[in-house]
């Protein structure tokens, strides 16, 4: 059977069946941003692994090695952040093709370790190997959290408010600029374009924010936005068995992104809804906690409400509802023939 | 600079320099079979990661998916065993090319989980992604050990006896048989050949043995034999700043291997010395503990002695010494242009 027939989530279910017999010692195994493993009577260990492949997740034509190292670390730390944890350690596995020089590898590690240093996380091991074909990076991040503070994707309840940190869509717009520049040398100039590009190449994982949200005990469910708001909200709703209304006008867009309205190929809201790779945190908050969440010392925006049922809707400024789609992120079923599936969730829309 | 100029160990040193600033929270970071991380006041966590790449570590022409899954788990658990630890959890990252079907992936996980079940270890997460080129597997294994019982590569002292579990060279002979069969359809028949092939495709990590050796407090240093006896002994000697004499006649060879003398392309001892992928344990024992090691309830063989100085020698049956060579396992410098380096040590000779 082709993987495209079974589909990503079918495959993950079957792998879970195969491995089901011996996962009892894990508090949470396959299925969330990170696995949750018993550490001590009061603390758990969080573990996650993420792949970045050349020509699937990045292209050398627009990614420098420093940024690639930075981002490889960031996407993994973002998963730890999404559980409310503190990242502690990372391991890397690199498949290195012949065209990669020693300087490239060291630049990769400079970027990787700069991001790690920013979050007091240590590189403790790894493996490197020649790759007969493209470059790839596999990173494992290990974090920890107080058991009582871990936030999964499962706890959202009807009536909860839906919040998001930062702003959405910048990374996808930055990627479009990078690709246009490569194509015909002009895809956007000026400070705004540079900042959008930077948000794509060197995203900042919301580690302190994730921890603060967990500590505040405000969040009933949390995920990082790697595939795009609609896809990642879908994961929370699916695992919590709820629906959601998102108010289109409330989705936070940066001034950089809004300034590019008309210069991009799609309406700016599309980048926020399904662009992906924002690495902001999406979380749900019960009514009694909304006030407390607003007092956190970083920007959060209330963008909608969790509903009973299964429907995910986008509500426009006239109050009109339209279905919010997962935008086809079963990566084993994309028409391009590329597939990507995580033993937890898909990540990073394959654009272009 | 080309990686082949800097060399594997040069690269690892530079990566260590880049990451040095933030590794203080790890008890042992880059440089041993596994990283050693503080877990509790009495226990440490052991973490290791290993890559297996198509056409570098395995070829589809002679490896089935079940065996590939088995071996991917085994080589990682072997690293935990080499520290005297107990494996607990694994994560996988798979790069999957278009020719791999859902059944192949599930067969991979059946093999992977059978090995994991044998050692009460749980698959707790991972990532899968389409690979534009070959198949690759990256596995992270997490184990634990009592802090006081961890055995590193560093403690060997002059006068210590050198021991090895099981027998050496079977895996490399099995690989030769597999490659011959593929080439002209006849590379060895019968039960012996099958058992050698099995030892290559589905090695058994010495998990219980590693733990028993650690518990007995007999070992001053330990490593698993992944690159071959001479290479892995070299790692112990280098990190312990000692030399060694190995008595050629004492190297344990299986009857299966001895029976193939003359039918293989090289003398059988060569497979034991530099074949690699045996995943047996090599460890050093002070004189006062040798008797205790002999009372362990699994086969161990004393094959030589740790010496002062830097020389590694092979002593033949006439008492003649010849230098024991690392057999050129700087994988960034192999003539084939393939390179492999670990942030701990090279692994798996690239044969053929």
């Amino acid at each position: 059977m082709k993987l495209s027939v079974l589909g990503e989530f079918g495959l993950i279910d079957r792998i879970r069946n195969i491995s089901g017999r011996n996962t009892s010692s894990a508090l949470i195994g396959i299925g969330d941003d990170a696995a949750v493993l018993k550490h001590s009577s009061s603390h758990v260990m969080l573990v996650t692994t993420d792949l970045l492949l050349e020509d699937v997740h990045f292209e050398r034509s627009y990614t420098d090695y420093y940024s690639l190292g930075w981002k490889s670390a960031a996407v993994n730390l973002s998963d730890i952040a999404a559980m409310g944890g503190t990242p502690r350690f990372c391991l890397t596995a690199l498949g290195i093709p012949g065209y990669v020089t020693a300087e490239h590898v060291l630049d990769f590690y400079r970027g990787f370790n700069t991001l790690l240093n920013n979050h007091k996380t240590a590189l403790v091991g790894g493996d490197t190997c020649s790759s007969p074909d493209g470059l790839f990076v596999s990173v494992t991040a290990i974090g920890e959290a107080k058991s009582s503070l871990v936030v999964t994707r499962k706890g959202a309840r009807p009536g909860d408010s839906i919040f998001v940190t930062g702003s959405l869509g910048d990374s996808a717009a930055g990627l479009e600029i990078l690709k246009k520049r490569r194509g015909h040398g002009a895809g956007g100039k000026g400070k705004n374009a540079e900042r959008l590009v930077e948000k794509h190449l060197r995203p900042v994982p919301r580690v302190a924010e994730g921890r603060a949200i967990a500590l505040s005990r405000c969040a009933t469910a949390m995920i990082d936005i790697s595939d795009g708001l609609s896809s990642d909200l879908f994961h929370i709703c699916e695992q919590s068995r709820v629906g959601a209304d998102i108010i289109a006008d409330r989705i936070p867009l940066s001034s950089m992104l809004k300034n590019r309205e008309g210069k991009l190929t799609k309406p700016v809201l599309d980048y926020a809804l399904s662009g992906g790779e924002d690495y902001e945190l999406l979380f749900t908050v019960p009514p009694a906690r909304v006030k407390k969440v607003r007092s956190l010392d970083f920007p959060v925006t209330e963008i909608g409400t969790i509903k009973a049922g299964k429907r995910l809707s986008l509500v426009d400024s006239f109050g009109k509802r339209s279905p919010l789609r997962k935008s086809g992120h079963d990566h084993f079923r994309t028409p391009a023939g590329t597939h990507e599936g995580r033993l937890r969730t898909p990540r990073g829309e394959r654009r272009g």
Side-chain angles (χ1 to χ4, degrees), chain A:
Chain A
M1 194 195 300
K2 283 197 165 186
L3 277 172
S4 54
V5 176
L6 184 57
E8 175 188 340
F9 294 98
L11 181 71
I12 292 174
D13 274 349
R14 300 230 189 153
I15 294 171
R16 200 188 273 162
N17 285 344
I18 291 171
S19 65
R21 280 175 297 169
N22 58 3
T23 52
S24 55
S25 44
L27 303 177
I28 298 177
I30 297 164
D32 215 302
D33 289 281
V36 182
L37 313 174
K38 203 176 155 121
H39 191 324
S40 67
S41 56
S42 63
H43 282 70
V44 292
M45 193 162 78
L46 305 165
V47 196
T48 181
T49 195
D50 256 324
L51 272 174
L52 284 91
L53 263 79
E54 184 173 344
D55 294 336
V56 179
H57 300 95
F58 65 92
E59 295 176 32
R60 274 187 301 140
S61 59
Y62 60 75
T63 307
D64 62 289
Y65 288 88
Y66 182 94
S67 296
L68 181 61
W70 173 295
K71 191 170 189 170
S72 302
V75 304
N76 278 277
L77 264 52
S78 180
D79 283 323
I80 301 292
M83 308 293 289
T86 304
R88 297 291 310 280
F89 305 105
C90 274
L91 295 95
T92 54
L94 257 69
I96 305 175
Y99 54 74
V100 174
T101 67
E103 280 82 6
H104 292 155
V105 177
L106 296 175
D107 265 349
F108 173 92
Y109 277 105
R110 280 184 198 106
F112 193 90
N113 275 290
T114 301
L115 193 284
L116 255 52
N117 277 324
N118 292 349
H119 299 281
K120 296 190 172 59
T121 300
L123 174 69
V124 294
D127 196 4
T128 65
C129 180
S130 73
S131 164
D133 308 298
L135 176 64
F136 67 85
V137 185
S138 168
V139 176
T140 299
I142 301 173
E144 60 182 7
K146 227 175 145 177
S147 318
S148 58
L149 296 181
V150 168
V151 188
T152 70
R153 300 175 178 179
K154 262 188 189 164
R157 285 165 303 197
D160 285 0
S161 290
I162 303 168
F163 277 85
V164 67
T165 60
S167 59
L168 302 182
D170 293 346
S171 172
L175 177 61
E176 187 175 302
I177 293 168
L178 283 167
K179 289 199 169 182
K180 269 192 197 159
R181 280 183 191 170
R182 181 192 55 183
H184 46 78
K189 283 175 195 170
K191 231 179 197 174
N192 275 346
E194 280 322 307
R195 284 171 67 194
L196 292 171
V197 160
E198 191 181 326
K199 286 196 83 171
H200 180 74
L201 293 178
R202 293 187 293 283
V204 175
R206 299 300 186 189
V207 173
E209 292 83 348
R211 203 165 36 208
I213 292 164
L215 266 171
S216 74
R217 297 178 192 265
C218 290
T220 49
M222 186 154 62
I223 193 169
D224 68 324
I225 299 186
S226 49
D227 294 321
L229 172 60
S230 52
S231 274
D232 291 311
L233 177 64
F234 186 93
H235 292 301
I236 281 190
C237 288
E238 196 177 40
Q239 293 208 23
S240 301
R241 296 166 189 268
V242 292
D245 276 358
I246 295 292
I247 314 297
D249 287 350
R250 292 210 193 146
I251 296 173
L253 305 176
S254 70
S255 58
M256 285 121 64
L257 182 61
K258 282 189 274 190
N259 281 339
R260 290 200 74 77
E261 177 85 72
K263 293 180 204 156
L264 294 162
T265 56
K266 292 181 287 185
V268 290
L269 192 64
D270 283 15
Y271 297 83
L273 282 172
S274 54
E277 299 202 71
D278 291 307
Y279 302 106
E280 296 293 347
L281 297 173
L282 176 70
F283 57 106
T284 56
V285 179
R289 294 276 181 178
V290 165
K291 202 174 159 190
K292 189 163 188 190
V293 141
R294 291 224 175 88
S295 71
L296 290 169
D297 63 350
F298 48 86
V300 294
T301 310
E302 188 177 350
I303 59 168
T305 314
I306 293 293
K307 298 279 178 188
K310 283 185 169 186
R311 279 214 321 216
L312 275 70
S313 308
L314 187 69
V315 184
D316 72 13
S317 45
F318 305 101
K320 206 188 133 205
R321 267 191 169 68
S322 57
L324 195 65
R325 294 193 193 286
K326 228 184 113 196
S327 37
H329 284 122
D330 187 326
H331 294 293
F332 283 111
R333 287 177 168 152
T334 53
T338 62
H339 48 252
E340 183 204 3
R342 310 183 76 178
L343 298 189
R344 40 182 207 78
T345 185
R347 161 188 49 99
E349 193 189 357
R350 294 312 114 239
R351 286 165 298 250

